[in-house]
Amino acid sequence: TAAYPQAQYYGNRFYHTVPITQPTATEFSGIYYSTTSVNGVGTEIHSNMVYGIQLTNHPVTTTTGVTGIMIFNTPTSGDRIKFYNNMVSIGQGLTGTAATANVFGIRDNSAATNLADVFYNSVYVGGTAESGANNSAAFRKQLSNNLNISNNIFFNARGNNGGTGTHWAIMFNNTDFTSLSNNAYYVTGVDGVLGTRQAGFHAGEAQ
């Protein structure tokens, strides 16, 4: 997405009708947002659907993943970028090397001072990890310390059937949030864990 002030991206559906083999095994995101420009302040990404993603190949590394919504960068001042009322269902249609990749419903990889709100989203991660040690999470926070994460459903039903990874409802790098409240967290798959901070479970943030 480009930097247009007060822009709204809504009512879109992102899905595959047949399995896709990417020309090169590149990291995949259904929705990818990235700008640090002040021209991007006040942008809203809402009421979109990401589902039915079918991939046969993907880079199998610990730092990449198949992602529903990727928040790569946001402005550090002004009105916050808002992601709300989106629906993500991902993981069920992955085969080949894609089936052994990390899988994330919503992934925040913005800088520590970037500003974003993530409200009222419904996120489901499914499928089975047949091999490999990669993980999955309905929501992953990697860097930013200024996120509002509230009133979301984070459901991870992905499980292992030969794989050795862990499958979290929420995973985050530290406990620094602007707010983290009123979310619903669920895990049901083999080797599913409610939440983690870095390598360990941090019960104080899981509800």
Side-chain angles (χ1 to χ4, degrees), residues 58-145:
H58 197 275
V60 182
T61 72
T62 59
T63 59
T64 61
V66 179
T67 301
I69 299 176
M70 169 71 90
I71 308 169
F72 192 76
N73 269 312
T74 66
T76 58
S77 62
D79 293 339
R80 304 170 70 91
I81 308 301
K82 293 178 172 58
F83 300 82
Y84 62 93
N85 288 340
N86 299 290
M87 189 280 285
V88 175
S89 179
I90 197 165
Q92 307 93 307
L94 305 180
T95 59
T97 55
T100 62
N102 293 308
V103 181
F104 305 115
I106 298 178
R107 178 183 178 190
D108 175 79
N109 194 30
S110 56
T113 57
N114 289 171
L115 305 174
D117 294 338
V118 180
F119 294 156
Y120 298 106
N121 301 283
S122 297
V123 181
Y124 176 86
V125 176
T128 302
E130 302 288 345
S131 63
N134 279 330
N135 309 307
S136 68
F139 182 83
R140 181 181 185 185
K141 178 176 87 81
Q142 290 182 241
L143 293 172
S144 178
N145 298 329

Side-chain angles (χ1 to χ4, degrees), residues 103-104 125 135-139 154-158 165-171 186-187 191-201:
V103 181
F104 305 115
V125 176
N135 309 307
S136 68
F139 182 83
F154 296 133
F155 187 167
N156 194 343
R158 193 170 180 82
T166 305
H167 307 286
W168 294 288
I170 185 170
M171 60 186 300
Y186 302 94
V187 289
D191 295 316
V193 176
L194 197 63
T196 184
R197 183 187 68 176
Q198 299 286 37
F201 176 65

